[in-house]
Short mmCIF file of all heavy atoms in Angstrom, two decimals:
data_model
loop_
_atom_site.label_atom_id
_atom_site.label_comp_id
_atom_site.label_asym_id
_atom_site.label_seq_id
_atom_site.Cartn_x
_atom_site.Cartn_y
_atom_site.Cartn_z
N GLN A 108 13.64 -5.69 4.27
CA GLN A 108 14.17 -4.49 3.73
C GLN A 108 15.42 -4.77 2.96
O GLN A 108 15.71 -4.22 1.80
CB GLN A 108 14.37 -3.52 4.86
CG GLN A 108 14.82 -2.08 4.40
CD GLN A 108 13.77 -1.44 3.57
OE1 GLN A 108 12.60 -1.39 3.87
NE2 GLN A 108 14.08 -1.00 2.37
N ASP A 109 16.34 -5.59 3.48
CA ASP A 109 17.59 -5.92 2.88
C ASP A 109 17.42 -6.59 1.54
O ASP A 109 18.05 -6.32 0.56
CB ASP A 109 18.45 -6.85 3.75
CG ASP A 109 18.97 -6.07 4.98
OD1 ASP A 109 18.85 -4.78 5.01
OD2 ASP A 109 19.35 -6.71 6.01
N GLU A 110 16.43 -7.55 1.57
CA GLU A 110 16.15 -8.24 0.39
C GLU A 110 15.58 -7.23 -0.69
O GLU A 110 15.92 -7.39 -1.93
CB GLU A 110 15.06 -9.30 0.61
CG GLU A 110 14.61 -10.12 -0.47
CD GLU A 110 15.63 -11.21 -0.83
OE1 GLU A 110 16.78 -11.24 -0.29
OE2 GLU A 110 15.32 -11.99 -1.74
N LYS A 111 14.66 -6.40 -0.29
CA LYS A 111 14.22 -5.37 -1.27
C LYS A 111 15.26 -4.49 -1.76
O LYS A 111 15.30 -4.22 -3.03
CB LYS A 111 13.18 -4.60 -0.54
CG LYS A 111 12.44 -3.52 -1.42
CD LYS A 111 11.32 -2.87 -0.63
CE LYS A 111 10.61 -1.90 -1.54
NZ LYS A 111 11.40 -0.73 -1.95
N THR A 112 16.20 -4.07 -0.99
CA THR A 112 17.27 -3.21 -1.38
C THR A 112 18.13 -3.99 -2.44
O THR A 112 18.51 -3.45 -3.50
CB THR A 112 18.16 -2.78 -0.18
OG1 THR A 112 17.38 -2.34 0.80
CG2 THR A 112 19.22 -1.78 -0.65
N ARG A 113 18.38 -5.24 -2.17
CA ARG A 113 19.18 -6.02 -3.10
C ARG A 113 18.48 -6.14 -4.47
O ARG A 113 19.01 -6.00 -5.52
CB ARG A 113 19.43 -7.49 -2.46
CG ARG A 113 20.44 -8.32 -3.28
CD ARG A 113 20.55 -9.68 -2.58
NE ARG A 113 19.36 -10.45 -2.63
CZ ARG A 113 18.91 -11.05 -3.77
NH1 ARG A 113 19.57 -10.89 -4.92
NH2 ARG A 113 17.77 -11.81 -3.71
N VAL A 114 17.13 -6.55 -4.45
CA VAL A 114 16.45 -6.75 -5.65
C VAL A 114 16.29 -5.38 -6.40
O VAL A 114 16.46 -5.33 -7.60
CB VAL A 114 15.00 -7.35 -5.37
CG1 VAL A 114 14.19 -7.35 -6.58
CG2 VAL A 114 15.22 -8.77 -4.80
N ASP A 115 16.07 -4.31 -5.65
CA ASP A 115 15.86 -3.04 -6.21
C ASP A 115 17.14 -2.70 -7.02
O ASP A 115 17.09 -2.17 -8.13
CB ASP A 115 15.62 -1.92 -5.24
CG ASP A 115 14.15 -1.86 -4.83
OD1 ASP A 115 13.28 -2.59 -5.46
OD2 ASP A 115 13.73 -1.15 -3.88
N ALA A 116 18.33 -2.95 -6.40
CA ALA A 116 19.60 -2.63 -7.02
C ALA A 116 19.74 -3.37 -8.37
O ALA A 116 20.25 -2.84 -9.38
CB ALA A 116 20.74 -2.91 -6.02
N GLU A 117 19.32 -4.68 -8.27
CA GLU A 117 19.39 -5.54 -9.42
C GLU A 117 18.61 -4.94 -10.55
O GLU A 117 18.99 -4.86 -11.78
CB GLU A 117 18.96 -6.91 -9.13
CG GLU A 117 19.66 -7.99 -9.84
CD GLU A 117 19.51 -9.31 -9.13
OE1 GLU A 117 20.22 -9.55 -8.05
OE2 GLU A 117 18.52 -10.07 -9.57
N PHE A 118 17.29 -4.61 -10.23
CA PHE A 118 16.40 -4.07 -11.30
C PHE A 118 16.79 -2.66 -11.75
O PHE A 118 16.62 -2.36 -12.86
CB PHE A 118 14.90 -4.02 -10.74
CG PHE A 118 14.19 -5.35 -10.89
CD1 PHE A 118 13.96 -6.06 -9.75
CD2 PHE A 118 13.94 -5.78 -12.13
CE1 PHE A 118 13.33 -7.34 -9.91
CE2 PHE A 118 13.26 -7.05 -12.27
CZ PHE A 118 12.98 -7.80 -11.13
N ASP A 119 17.38 -1.94 -10.82
CA ASP A 119 17.82 -0.61 -11.16
C ASP A 119 18.74 -0.57 -12.33
O ASP A 119 18.77 0.30 -13.16
CB ASP A 119 18.41 0.15 -10.06
CG ASP A 119 17.55 1.32 -9.56
OD1 ASP A 119 16.31 1.29 -9.87
OD2 ASP A 119 18.12 2.19 -9.04
N LYS A 120 19.51 -1.72 -12.45
CA LYS A 120 20.47 -1.80 -13.64
C LYS A 120 19.74 -1.87 -14.91
O LYS A 120 20.25 -1.28 -15.86
CB LYS A 120 21.34 -3.16 -13.48
CG LYS A 120 22.52 -2.93 -12.56
CD LYS A 120 23.36 -4.29 -12.64
CE LYS A 120 23.61 -4.76 -11.27
NZ LYS A 120 23.50 -6.20 -11.12
N GLU A 121 18.54 -2.42 -14.91
CA GLU A 121 17.68 -2.49 -16.11
C GLU A 121 17.06 -1.15 -16.35
O GLU A 121 16.81 -0.68 -17.52
CB GLU A 121 16.47 -3.49 -15.96
CG GLU A 121 16.99 -4.85 -15.60
CD GLU A 121 17.46 -5.56 -16.85
OE1 GLU A 121 16.85 -5.32 -17.91
OE2 GLU A 121 18.39 -6.36 -16.76
N PHE A 122 16.65 -0.41 -15.18
CA PHE A 122 15.98 0.94 -15.45
C PHE A 122 16.94 2.06 -15.78
O PHE A 122 16.57 2.99 -16.36
CB PHE A 122 15.22 1.22 -14.08
CG PHE A 122 14.23 0.20 -13.63
CD1 PHE A 122 13.88 0.06 -12.34
CD2 PHE A 122 13.60 -0.62 -14.64
CE1 PHE A 122 12.94 -0.86 -11.86
CE2 PHE A 122 12.65 -1.52 -14.28
CZ PHE A 122 12.32 -1.62 -12.84
N GLN A 123 18.12 1.89 -15.26
CA GLN A 123 19.14 2.93 -15.37
C GLN A 123 19.27 3.58 -16.78
O GLN A 123 19.30 4.81 -16.90
CB GLN A 123 20.53 2.41 -14.94
CG GLN A 123 21.51 3.49 -14.49
CD GLN A 123 21.05 4.44 -13.43
OE1 GLN A 123 20.39 4.08 -12.54
NE2 GLN A 123 21.25 5.78 -13.75
N PRO A 124 19.37 2.74 -17.82
CA PRO A 124 19.66 3.29 -19.16
C PRO A 124 18.58 4.34 -19.49
O PRO A 124 18.82 5.28 -20.35
CB PRO A 124 19.55 2.19 -20.08
CG PRO A 124 19.78 0.94 -19.25
CD PRO A 124 19.31 1.26 -17.89
N PHE A 125 17.42 4.21 -18.91
CA PHE A 125 16.31 5.22 -19.36
C PHE A 125 16.23 6.42 -18.47
O PHE A 125 15.64 7.47 -18.81
CB PHE A 125 14.99 4.56 -19.26
CG PHE A 125 14.94 3.28 -20.23
CD1 PHE A 125 15.04 1.97 -19.77
CD2 PHE A 125 14.86 3.50 -21.57
CE1 PHE A 125 14.96 0.85 -20.65
CE2 PHE A 125 14.79 2.48 -22.49
CZ PHE A 125 14.90 1.14 -21.96
N ALA A 126 16.92 6.34 -17.29
CA ALA A 126 16.88 7.50 -16.39
C ALA A 126 17.51 8.68 -17.06
O ALA A 126 18.47 8.60 -17.84
CB ALA A 126 17.75 7.19 -15.19
N GLY A 127 16.83 9.88 -16.97
CA GLY A 127 17.42 11.09 -17.59
C GLY A 127 17.12 11.26 -19.01
O GLY A 127 17.26 12.27 -19.56
N GLN A 128 16.58 10.18 -19.69
CA GLN A 128 16.20 10.30 -21.04
C GLN A 128 14.91 11.02 -21.18
O GLN A 128 14.11 10.98 -20.32
CB GLN A 128 15.96 8.88 -21.65
CG GLN A 128 17.21 8.35 -22.44
CD GLN A 128 16.85 7.18 -23.24
OE1 GLN A 128 15.78 7.04 -23.90
NE2 GLN A 128 17.62 6.13 -23.12
N ASP A 129 14.71 11.67 -22.30
CA ASP A 129 13.44 12.42 -22.54
C ASP A 129 12.30 11.45 -22.43
O ASP A 129 12.34 10.32 -23.01
CB ASP A 129 13.59 13.11 -23.98
CG ASP A 129 12.35 13.81 -24.23
OD1 ASP A 129 12.17 14.89 -23.67
OD2 ASP A 129 11.37 13.27 -25.08
N LEU A 130 11.17 11.91 -21.74
CA LEU A 130 10.06 11.01 -21.48
C LEU A 130 9.42 10.59 -22.75
O LEU A 130 9.06 9.41 -22.86
CB LEU A 130 9.06 11.70 -20.67
CG LEU A 130 9.32 11.73 -19.14
CD1 LEU A 130 8.33 12.65 -18.35
CD2 LEU A 130 9.19 10.36 -18.58
N MET A 131 9.37 11.36 -23.87
CA MET A 131 8.64 10.96 -25.03
C MET A 131 9.50 9.83 -25.77
O MET A 131 8.99 8.92 -26.31
CB MET A 131 8.44 12.03 -25.94
CG MET A 131 7.39 13.01 -25.35
SD MET A 131 6.81 14.30 -26.50
CE MET A 131 8.23 15.39 -26.47
N ALA A 132 10.91 9.97 -25.58
CA ALA A 132 11.80 8.97 -26.18
C ALA A 132 11.63 7.64 -25.49
O ALA A 132 11.55 6.58 -26.13
CB ALA A 132 13.21 9.48 -26.16
N VAL A 133 11.56 7.74 -24.19
CA VAL A 133 11.42 6.37 -23.34
C VAL A 133 10.01 5.85 -23.69
O VAL A 133 9.99 4.60 -23.83
CB VAL A 133 11.39 6.74 -21.84
CG1 VAL A 133 11.17 5.51 -21.01
CG2 VAL A 133 12.71 7.52 -21.42
N ALA A 134 9.04 6.64 -23.94
CA ALA A 134 7.68 6.16 -24.11
C ALA A 134 7.66 5.44 -25.54
O ALA A 134 6.90 4.48 -25.76
CB ALA A 134 6.63 7.27 -24.33
N ALA A 135 8.63 5.75 -26.39
CA ALA A 135 8.58 5.08 -27.70
C ALA A 135 9.47 3.86 -27.75
O ALA A 135 9.48 3.09 -28.67
CB ALA A 135 9.24 6.04 -28.75
N ASP A 136 10.14 3.59 -26.61
CA ASP A 136 10.95 2.35 -26.50
C ASP A 136 10.20 1.15 -26.18
O ASP A 136 9.55 1.11 -25.02
CB ASP A 136 12.20 2.62 -25.59
CG ASP A 136 13.16 1.54 -25.53
OD1 ASP A 136 12.78 0.43 -25.08
OD2 ASP A 136 14.23 1.81 -25.95
#
Side-chain angles (χ1 to χ4, degrees):
Q108 189 60 52
D109 292 347
E110 180 77 352
K111 181 173 181 294
T112 310
R113 189 182 65 74
V114 173
D115 278 352
E117 214 161 281
F118 277 111
D119 245 24
K120 276 188 235 142
E121 303 281 325
F122 302 152
Q123 195 59 41
F125 300 103
Q128 261 191 46
D129 180 72
L130 277 173
M131 290 189 290
V133 180
D136 186 293

